[in-house]
Amino acid sequence: MDSSETAPVTVVAMLVIRTALLEIRQPGSSRREWAFLSNPCAMAAGCATPSLVSVGGWQAIGFAATAWAVLAGALVAHIVDLRTGPAEVRREDANDTHR
């Protein structure tokens, strides 16, 4: 594995570990954390981002651009879901943390 591929793989591993630790503390939290995968708007943004990032990045750093592009797409999809997610669900999640 090239050193430029190590960073995005490490970030993905940290996100998975974070999800697992949160699931241990609060059962059901991983379903809410990864709910962006079922949001069509978030997935459209998440799929568009890697294609745009990898076009320019492929010429600059080669195959490692794909790993960075996929990571960027997942983060964009997560952010888009936070903005378009139902306010009721966000309020319920906030109320669950104060128990």
Side-chain angles (χ1 to χ4, degrees):
M1 181 179 290
D2 187 17
S3 63
S4 58
E5 295 169 1
T6 305
V9 170
T10 304
V11 171
V12 169
M14 289 188 315
L15 290 173
V16 170
I17 291 169
R18 177 181 176 263
T19 301
L21 292 175
L22 283 174
E23 182 66 23
I24 291 170
R25 289 184 196 161
Q26 298 175 346
S29 64
S30 63
R31 185 178 304 142
R32 289 187 301 270
E33 186 75 25
W34 293 90
F36 70 92
L37 295 173
S38 62
N39 183 337
C41 292
M43 289 309 297
C47 290
T49 301
S51 60
L52 296 173
V53 170
S54 62
V55 166
W58 187 268
Q59 295 173 352
I61 59 175
F63 184 72
T66 305
W68 282 105
V70 170
L71 178 61
L75 295 176
V76 166
H78 186 69
I79 291 169
V80 168
D81 183 59
L82 291 176
R83 297 196 60 188
T84 61
E88 294 174 8
V89 172
R90 282 183 269 159
R91 273 188 295 229
E92 288 174 6
D93 289 344
N95 290 337
D96 287 340
T97 59
H98 295 296
R99 286 186 187 182

